[in-house]
Amino acid sequence: MSTPPQQPESTPERMAPQPPAAPSPAPPPEQQAPAVPPQPTAYPYPSPQSPPPQNPYAQPTVVGRPVPPPQANPYAVQPGYGYPPPAAPPTAGGNAAGKAVLWAVVGAVVASAGWAAGLFLTGGFGSSADLRGYRAPANLCSSADYSSFKDEYPVDDSSPTKNVMKDPALDQSYCSLSLKKTSTSYGDAYLSMEVDLHKKTDPAPEFTATWKNYGDSHSDYDVTAVQGIGDEAYLVTQDTSNGSTTSGSRYATLAVRDGWMTFTMYYSAYFSTYDSDTDPPTLDDVTGWLKTDTKSTLEQLKD
């Protein structure tokens, strides 16, 4: 007779977990942890042993009481102290405000463009000097034309005064010579010329103020505007001789501005009882010569 198979004897170790080593009393049965923790599973949903999902919006609790939210840091930088405040939500008038900002930006762009154009036209950038092709020669005495005076003063000056200056802001050439009727040691009259090329600033306002108002700052001078020479020209004259050839003087200057170039040609004669010139030219003769020779000289000073 066969004997039924015997079941393996159960051991205490396999029936329950080992008791804790500490001698402290065991917790009540309802608070004891399960003997074997739940095992992980590949099933995508929570297993029956998994704890219920936590509410991410629930406030933490301590023994059933909600924990108050953390207090704000009193030392944190508040808006308005170097940081931009949060943007305000758009209002019903947002379209009108947007249009106002747009027109303000357009106006600023137009103003900037006008400012730049003004600087370009007036030379504010320093690179738009209107020199009209003029030059300041090293020897203006040999480059200028004063042939209209040769019939009255046929003797050349053997040592005229001349100088030239070159600078990023201004080129200048000057000539002064004696006008002689005979081969004497002293001149019977004097003729001077100067050409200035203004390369950084427009000389027009100061030129007009100086020569148009010359009679206001100098007594007994006559000022006449001259047409047909450059952009503007002024003739300044004075005669204190009262028809005498032994006293007084005669003076005439023709000042011309053409673009940013200025030119002056001036004549002077002084009379005394020691002068050998008993028949000096009239002011009308001299002003006519100045106009003729100035026009010719300006043509010769162009490149």
Side-chain angles (χ1 to χ4, degrees):
M1 184 174 71
S2 60
T3 303
Q6 300 293 323
Q7 296 294 332
E9 297 181 359
S10 59
T11 63
E13 292 79 8
R14 297 186 60 181
M15 296 302 294
Q18 292 293 328
S24 59
E30 61 272 15
Q31 296 185 10
Q32 290 185 8
V36 180
Q39 301 300 314
T41 176
Y43 191 64
Y45 297 98
S47 63
Q49 295 82 11
S50 301
Q54 299 296 323
N55 182 0
Y57 302 100
Q59 293 184 352
T61 61
V62 175
V63 194
R65 294 194 304 270
V67 178
Q71 299 297 321
N73 183 2
Y75 301 100
V77 178
Q78 300 300 320
Y81 293 90
Y83 296 89
T91 61
N95 292 337
K99 291 180 179 179
V101 172
L102 175 61
W103 281 114
V105 173
V106 172
V109 172
V110 172
S112 299
W115 171 80
L119 285 179
F120 180 80
L121 294 176
T122 59
F125 292 118
S127 60
S128 58
D130 184 12
L131 299 179
R132 309 283 174 91
Y134 289 101
R135 59 187 177 86
N139 187 348
L140 183 59
C141 294
S142 60
S143 300
D145 180 14
Y146 53 96
S147 58
S148 296
F149 292 86
K150 291 297 184 70
D151 291 338
E152 185 73 21
Y153 304 101
V155 181
D156 291 334
D157 186 350
S158 59
S159 57
T161 300
K162 59 184 183 295
N163 57 58
V164 65
M165 181 190 74
K166 299 291 185 179
D167 186 86
L170 176 70
D171 286 352
Q172 184 181 81
S173 186
Y174 173 80
C175 169
S176 178
L177 47 84
S178 298
L179 298 176
K180 300 179 180 180
K181 289 187 175 183
T182 61
S183 299
T184 60
S185 300
Y186 302 98
D188 297 303
Y190 301 90
L191 185 69
S192 298
M193 297 161 282
E194 181 177 319
V195 57
D196 296 314
L197 304 182
H198 306 263
K199 298 186 290 184
K200 293 295 183 180
T201 55
D202 186 355
E206 293 185 4
F207 178 88
T208 304
T210 298
W211 294 106
K212 184 179 181 180
N213 305 310
Y214 195 90
D216 297 337
S217 56
H218 301 77
S219 302
D220 301 324
Y221 284 87
D222 296 324
V223 180
T224 305
V226 178
Q227 304 298 322
I229 305 178
D231 290 336
E232 58 178 328
Y234 298 94
L235 180 66
V236 179
T237 60
Q238 183 191 56
D239 187 353
T240 61
S241 67
N242 295 320
S244 172
T245 60
T246 59
S247 64
S249 62
R250 292 173 186 171
Y251 171 88
T253 297
L254 180 59
V256 178
R257 181 189 66 81
D258 194 12
W260 289 21
M261 183 280 306
T262 57
F263 178 82
T264 54
M265 181 180 283
Y266 40 100
Y267 166 94
S268 60
Y270 304 92
F271 309 131
S272 71
T273 56
Y274 301 100
D275 290 334
S276 60
D277 186 7
T278 59
D279 187 22
T282 65
L283 270 182
D284 288 341
D285 291 336
V286 171
T287 56
W289 300 339
L290 288 176
K291 293 176 184 178
T292 299
D293 289 352
T294 293
K295 288 181 179 179
S296 177
T297 298
L298 294 180
E299 288 297 326
Q300 294 180 188
L301 293 180
K302 287 188 175 182
D303 293 332

